[in-house]
Amino acid sequence: MKVHKISQYAAVALLGGATLFTLAIVAFIIGFVLEKGLPQISLEFLFSKPKDMGREGGIFPAIVGTLLLSAMAIVVALPLGVGTAVYLAEYTRETRLTRAIRFGTDCLAGIPSIIFGLFGYIFFVTTLKMGWSLLAGAFTLAIMVLPTIIRTSEEAIRSVPQPWREVSLSLGATRWETVRKAVLPNALPGIITGVMLSFGRSIGETAAVIFTAGSSFRLPKSAFDSVRTMAVHFYILAREGISSEKAYGTAAVLVIAVLAVNILTYGLMQRFIARRAR
Amino acid sequence: MRATSDKVVERALLAVACTAVFCLLVIAAFIFKEGFPFLLKVGPGNFLFSSDWRPDSGHYGIFPMIVSSLWVTFGGLAIGAPLGIAGAIFLSEFGPPSAMRVVKPAIELLAGIPSVVFGFIGVMVLAPFIRRVAGGPGLSVLAAAIVLGVMILPTIMSISIDSLRSVPQSYREGALALGATRWQAVRMVVLKAARPGLLAGMILGMGRAIGETMAVIMVAGNAVKMPASALDSARTLTANIALEMGYATGMHRQALFATGIVLFVVIMILNGAATAALRRRGAAKR
């Protein structure tokens, strides 16, 4: 066999091996958490309050806190993100301003969550006097997920075929009516993808949340109450060595939630792509 | 009438579109407002290059944290970049299309897993393993680097796949027509053309690694000293902020915000570099 034939086989084997190794890591991480955590999950674990600092009982308030916080963050970020995407895709060409907006969005996406935590603490919690609360946490998370929503929405809007706009405009619709009635409904699956990705990121976030939403065990009564998300609860259980069984259980719930969100998003995207290909 | 309302909508959307930039500026302003006066008072040289961190007696030197952050970041990159880029090359150049459809999303699941979960697995599995095989406390630079390497892998792989795919098909065909094997075509032509994109992926992965907090707190050990080896305990910049933010007041708290400034500036530089690299890729395509 010639030398470069051999080098070809060696290279492909090595690259394929690296890929398999990476896949094995993914399988190990998910498998490990589920194997240790699934036995801890029961209806009681999901729907009862923690007792004795989390050594006993369940994680119900943490589930409620996580869902409320993530939902509020998306309610804040969605109109801002989609509005930005509509402006970038429908109302302007590439100018210095749009380049600045894009660069700002990219930078925002790259900021580490601990910086968001510092900022949220000094701005929402202290300066605006919201205290450790659902509200402060939600605003902080909203800024964090804004870049994701902008990018996915813009992509979705750009993928709506041009003739649909032309037909709408030729029927006498204004640009805004065209956006509202012809473009946005067709971009919806893509926008939902962005929402889901943001939701997944919010569920797992810890550093930005612990300094803004606090870590109270109680069910929140208003937007000004502190909440403890599942990720924060898990961090405290694991780090302070309170209970590794409950920590594994919480981790499994977290991972299942994240996997469900990711798989749903993937399915949605595949359908969206399939529809576009037609 | 309708034309005017359309103008109003346009103005409103323009205002909305500036939110992201506005948020970025407000974040920078508040972090600097809290930390910058402190930096001036202590002196940037003392703050950055002194190894003495004892906030209770007024010593604020973050040099060991800077060194630790660099250790774990480059360690993470040394693990994540080869695996991520190898995976990208295999999937986009050699693997069947079905592998791309299944393997890529599977590996991207890693990006969705919360960082605290990575940290926990590091504590339960990786650290004991390192302690047994290599010695030392287990919770160490090496453990943090491995965990970070896995965490930044999906970022590096996704961006690498994008940049490999954006290399025109005619480049490959040209090389093959000249008698190159597929590996030679990839090595000599495709990788060269995709280099700016691969670089951007590594830079963005670095940004993620240096900014990662919770996973690193859990596995790096957090001792405030210069790590003597890869098996030694270390405390990164991010860990320092998160560990002490809960109880810090006055000067101490300002010192943590000043640490935030250092991180912020580093991340902005990395982002700028990645954007420049991606723009070069865009220019090369045209």
Side-chain angles (χ1 to χ4, degrees), chain B residues 239-270:
Chain B
N240 193 42
I241 298 175
L243 285 168
E244 302 192 356
M245 193 56 202
Y247 60 87
T249 51
M251 280 278 273
H252 185 191
R253 203 176 79 184
Q254 291 180 349
L256 298 182
F257 273 89
T259 315
I261 295 180
V262 175
L263 262 179
F264 191 88
V265 170
V266 171
I267 297 281
M268 284 301 129
I269 293 172
L270 289 177

Side-chain angles (χ1 to χ4, degrees), chain A residues 58 137 156 201:
Chain A
R201 190 158 174 217

Side-chain angles (χ1 to χ4, degrees), chain A residues 47-178:
Chain A
F47 292 107
S48 68
K49 291 182 183 175
K51 295 183 200 88
D52 192 15
M53 301 301 289
R55 264 179 216 96
E56 297 294 324
I59 55 166
F60 186 62
I63 295 178
V64 173
T66 306
L67 293 178
L68 275 176
L69 196 67
S70 309
M72 282 168 66
I74 285 169
V75 167
V76 175
L78 186 62
L80 295 173
V82 175
T84 304
V86 167
Y87 183 77
L88 288 176
E90 300 287 321
Y91 278 83
T92 180
R93 359 169 167 273
E94 287 299 300
T95 62
R96 194 169 294 173
L97 179 69
T98 58
R99 271 204 299 277
I101 293 173
R102 260 180 247 281
F103 183 67
T105 311
D106 285 346
C107 285
L108 205 57
I111 290 183
S113 51
I114 184 71
I115 300 275
F116 282 103
L118 279 180
F119 166 72
Y121 174 74
I122 205 71
F123 187 68
F124 295 118
V125 175
T126 313
T127 308
L128 299 183
K129 297 198 169 56
M130 290 179 190
W132 281 318
S133 60
L134 259 176
L135 211 56
F139 279 126
T140 309
L141 277 182
I143 302 177
M144 234 176 116
V145 299
L146 187 60
T148 310
I149 296 194
I150 293 177
R151 276 191 207 147
T152 44
S153 304
E154 192 188 346
E155 228 169 274
I157 290 169
R158 285 196 188 277
S159 74
V160 175
Q162 200 55 33
W164 298 15
R165 293 184 186 82
E166 285 155 8
V167 167
S168 166
L169 290 171
S170 71
L171 289 172
T174 62
R175 205 145 45 147
W176 176 235
E177 284 166 341
T178 303

